[in-house]
Amino acid sequence: MNTRTRKLVYTALFAALTAMGAFLRIPMVYSSVTLQYLFTAMAGLLLGRRWGALSQAVYVLLGLVGLPIFTMGGGLGYVFQPTFGFLLGLIPAAWVVGRVCGDSLAPRRMALASLAGLAVLYAVGMPYMALILNVYMGKGMTFSAILWAGMLPYLPGDAAKIVIAAGVCPILRRFPGHIRQKYHKLITAQTTDDVLSPAMLLHDQDNLAESPVSPHMSHDIIERFEIIQIHN
């Protein structure tokens, strides 16, 4: 599987996870506590700004075309819901998370990136909520009332999501690289003189003399790994 295909698969996966997060919720007055931002932050941290934002755009577009994957359904009419601005905000939030984090594996950097993305999410969602509540629905709510309706009660849960994302994502990002490093060590040599011996496939260099594997067996093992690499 090449890199682009793998990224597309991961993009679809995080679009699905964000949709799933919409249904793991605690209802409030105008909104609900969900796990959506956890998966949005993870998308930005693991996929980067481009593919992370794309995963959230796919999720929002699928909901707008009618799939019932938003908290209260789906369809174009959802744009008149007070919380639709937060759905739109998921897209730039994932982009900012990926941009701020970059290639860093440090949990603090990932937490900072997730916090920056959360700020973008509220910067998009809160004005949209105020517009729908006060202009479209004619509620006449004050600024403080809108803050309590759309942001303040959710901040503790948001903090927990950031902690989880910053704790889990460094492990998830290191794991593929660790596997690739060991895989590369088995099938390649750094120089023409540094050829893999039978003992290097099964033992450390310190145990070179103790390896029971014959050169013929070693050659067969190397060929098997090369075939696997070509197919992947």
Side-chain angles (χ1 to χ4, degrees), residues 81-86 89 119-136 143 146-147 150-151:
Q81 291 289 338
T83 57
F84 183 70
F86 292 102
V120 171
L121 179 65
Y122 281 115
V124 176
M126 292 302 295
Y128 195 99
M129 174 176 277
L131 179 68
I132 296 298
L133 287 175
N134 288 340
V135 177
Y136 177 71
F143 178 72
I146 291 175
L147 285 179
M151 186 177 75

Side-chain angles (χ1 to χ4, degrees), residues 66-104:
L67 293 181
I69 54 177
F70 297 152
T71 304
M72 293 184 289
L76 285 175
Y78 212 89
V79 299
F80 298 107
Q81 291 289 338
T83 57
F84 183 70
F86 292 102
L87 295 175
L88 287 178
L90 295 176
I91 302 170
W95 191 94
V96 169
V97 171
R99 177 67 179 84
V100 174
C101 180
D103 296 327
S104 176

Side-chain angles (χ1 to χ4, degrees), residues 18-149:
T18 306
M20 182 183 70
F23 297 100
L24 302 174
R25 66 183 188 270
I26 301 174
M28 305 286 279
V29 179
Y30 292 106
S31 185
S32 299
V33 177
T34 72
L35 292 182
Q36 285 177 299
Y37 186 68
L38 171 62
F39 297 120
T40 300
M42 291 181 67
L45 295 173
L46 297 175
L47 305 184
R49 61 182 186 271
R50 177 187 174 190
W51 295 100
L54 180 60
S55 71
Q56 303 306 292
V58 169
Y59 164 66
V60 173
L61 288 174
L62 289 176
L64 286 176
V65 299
L67 293 181
I69 54 177
F70 297 152
T71 304
M72 293 184 289
L76 285 175
Y78 212 89
V79 299
F80 298 107
Q81 291 289 338
T83 57
F84 183 70
F86 292 102
L87 295 175
L88 287 178
L90 295 176
I91 302 170
W95 191 94
V96 169
V97 171
R99 177 67 179 84
V100 174
C101 180
D103 296 327
S104 176
L105 295 177
R108 288 186 180 182
R109 181 66 176 267
M110 290 189 172
L112 178 63
S114 300
L115 183 61
L118 184 67
V120 171
L121 179 65
Y122 281 115
V124 176
M126 292 302 295
Y128 195 99
M129 174 176 277
L131 179 68
I132 296 298
L133 287 175
N134 288 340
V135 177
Y136 177 71
M137 300 176 68
K139 295 289 186 180
M141 297 178 65
T142 64
F143 178 72
S144 62
I146 291 175
L147 285 179
W148 278 104

